[in-house]
Amino acid sequence: MDVTVAADRAALVKARDSLGPGRIALVPTMGALHEGHRSLVRLAREHADHVVVSVFVNPLQFGPHEDFSRYPRTFDADLRVCEEEGAGVVFAPSAEDMYLPDRQVEVSAGGMGGTAEGAFRPGHFDGVLTVVLKLFNLVRPDVAVFGQKDAQQLALIRRMTADLDVPVSIVAAPTVREPDGLALSSRNRYLSEDDRRTALALSRALSAGAARARTGPAGVLDAARAVLEEAARFDPPLLLDYLILADPATFAPVGGDHRGEAVLAVAAKVGTTRLIDNMVLTL
Ligand code: PAF
């Protein structure tokens, strides 16, 4: 199947309108597509007749000292992935086309955007929600698919669609992992062999926490923290940003007597690479 590439918003609207009848699913990405993204496109195809994939490294969601300029850009390979997985349209605009030079209005992620990941990346979720809302308005999808790997982003997108009455159903796709447990991420390609060995502590910490789910929040956090503390002594060391056991819908930390679902989420630096991971547990 041939995929149509829309390089600007006008071309996207035209391509979208020529898709024909049926449901449309959107898979927003920043490119550097891997097996995890393939799984998003496959899931999107289960929910719709046509799939639009956006490939856009969104400058609004990067802080001034983050990896925007070195973020991997692999458009030709991304296009092949989209084609192989049966996407109908790939939207790959420039930043100049996406954002008007005199733009003023942005989406605010509110208090929920300032906790956990948001506390370490001020403004990040405002940038994510702004681009996602623009993509929703341009593509007008029935459904949009996001990875569970970015659990707080997923929760905030759900919050935005509820708070702003955005008529798009949000579908979560399970995190895809390497056989050794490392969650797939476009940033994994920054990792050296030694970095990668240290990075495995993230998924090991989550599994150690999950194994203690029946003992309650303190047991989960203690077990996960022990693995992360050990990895802080590796070479290179794991530098922890946060470990949190949170309500999956609000990302507020759960209380000590919490029972039911909770998301155990972790973020850490290994060398120059910052990684995140999470697992949803039932306590
Ligand atoms: O998860 C991502 O890749 C990005 O945050 C998204 C949703 C494509 C917005 O730029």
Side-chain angles (χ1 to χ4, degrees):
M1 191 165 101
D2 274 352
V3 63
T4 303
V5 178
D8 57 36
R9 289 177 296 151
L12 171 70
V13 171
K14 217 165 119 197
R16 190 256 181 237
D17 288 342
S18 59
L19 279 176
R23 283 165 62 79
I24 294 181
L26 170 67
V27 180
T29 81
M30 296 205 300
L33 303 184
H34 49 65
E35 199 50 45
H37 295 107
R38 283 186 189 267
S39 77
L40 302 185
V41 180
R42 283 182 212 136
L43 188 57
R45 288 187 59 197
E46 289 174 23
H47 286 266
D49 304 286
H50 309 284
V51 177
V52 177
V53 178
S54 61
V55 175
F56 178 60
V57 186
N58 173 31
L60 255 55
Q61 69 189 74
F62 289 80
H65 305 296
E66 294 184 357
D67 56 347
F68 174 71
S69 54
R70 75 168 181 138
Y71 196 85
R73 287 159 172 89
T74 58
F75 187 67
D76 292 344
D78 294 346
L79 200 53
R80 275 198 302 278
V81 169
C82 293
E83 209 152 22
E84 283 164 16
E85 297 302 337
V89 176
V90 172
F91 176 43
S94 65
E96 292 69 31
D97 181 67
M98 234 359 216
Y99 294 116
L100 304 177
D102 58 347
R103 72 186 173 83
Q104 299 287 320
V105 177
E106 280 184 19
V107 180
S108 163
M112 200 177 142
T115 60
E117 190 64 7
F120 286 84
R121 303 187 69 188
H124 168 67
F125 288 119
D126 297 350
V128 169
L129 295 185
T130 300
V131 81
V132 168
L133 186 61
K134 281 172 70 75
L135 290 167
F136 284 176
N137 288 334
L138 289 163
V139 177
R140 289 172 282 125
D142 299 283
V143 53
V145 182
F146 295 89
Q148 174 63 41
K149 157 113 184 337
D150 294 292
Q152 193 174 3
Q153 166 174 289
L154 175 65
L156 274 159
I157 289 165
R158 288 199 158 121
R159 192 68 255 169
M160 174 177 77
T161 58
D163 287 348
L164 303 184
D165 297 310
V166 183
V168 178
S169 302
I170 306 302
V171 171
T175 302
V176 180
R177 297 180 181 278
E178 301 277 10
D180 58 11
L182 186 70
L184 295 195
S185 161
S186 302
R187 290 183 168 102
N188 288 355
R189 66 189 73 199
Y190 300 151
L191 298 171
S192 69
E193 222 172 284
D194 289 344
D195 290 344
R196 205 179 174 292
R197 247 191 313 274
T198 298
L200 288 179
L202 267 75
S203 58
R204 276 198 290 113
L206 298 177
S207 300
R212 298 284 302 280
R214 279 205 279 150
T215 67
V220 167
L221 287 166
D222 285 350
R225 204 173 293 118
V227 175
L228 298 169
E229 280 170 4
E230 185 193 18
R233 297 189 290 275
F234 292 173
D235 181 19
L238 183 114
L239 304 170
L240 183 66
D241 275 353
Y242 63 84
L243 171 72
I244 185 178
L245 188 64
D247 180 315
T250 64
F251 255 76
V254 298
D257 55 356
H258 178 81
R259 291 293 177 269
E261 273 208 340
V263 58
L264 182 61
V266 62
K269 276 188 224 70
V270 180
T272 56
T273 308
R274 188 170 181 281
L275 299 168
I276 62 170
D277 199 355
N278 72 84
M279 259 180 214
V280 178
L281 319 178
T282 305
L283 287 101

